[in-house]
Amino acid sequence: MHSLEELREIINQNDNYARYRKEIKAINTPTPYLPYIGLLLQDLVALEELPNIDRDGLVNFRKFKRVSKILQRVHDLKILNFKLEPLVPLQ
């Protein structure tokens, strides 16, 4: 289990949340976690600023592939179940 200080380091804004992105990318199995929605929205807004058509007049498929990847991640997290045990002293 991570200490509070370790969690602060992971979610640090340095280098566009590089440490957080690295930790999330390292999760290979379908493990449920609570994503940082602000970062997902930030990424989507940044992608929205890119042109839909590239300089050659073709559809910017790279942009749409990246948008699709983010939305797929959100969808995949939505269908995973947390296996939580109730903590009686906290109830």
Side-chain angles (χ1 to χ4, degrees):
M1 178 174 267
H2 293 290
S3 71
L4 183 58
E5 193 56 41
E6 287 175 302
L7 293 174
R8 283 187 179 141
E9 286 178 27
I10 290 171
I11 201 68
N12 193 317
Q13 296 178 10
N14 291 343
D15 297 324
N16 195 17
Y17 296 93
R19 173 82 189 273
Y20 173 80
R21 292 176 190 276
K22 181 182 172 186
E23 295 285 335
I24 294 302
K25 200 173 199 178
I27 300 173
N28 294 325
T29 60
T31 304
Y33 67 91
L34 293 174
Y36 180 33
I37 298 297
L39 186 56
L40 294 173
L41 293 175
Q42 175 184 312
D43 291 347
L44 288 171
V45 168
L47 287 169
E48 181 59 29
E49 296 297 318
L50 296 174
N52 292 337
I53 306 296
D54 66 14
R55 286 181 273 198
D56 300 325
L58 302 172
V59 174
N60 187 352
F61 281 106
R62 257 179 81 192
K63 170 186 174 174
F64 293 108
K65 184 176 180 182
R66 289 170 64 188
V67 169
S68 173
K69 197 173 183 180
I70 293 170
L71 296 177
Q72 184 66 49
R73 186 178 340 146
V74 171
H75 177 267
D76 291 347
L77 287 170
K78 206 171 127 180
I79 61 174
L80 293 174
N81 293 320
F82 284 91
K83 295 186 188 221
L84 302 174
E85 300 287 329
L87 296 173
V88 178
L90 297 178
Q91 304 234 340

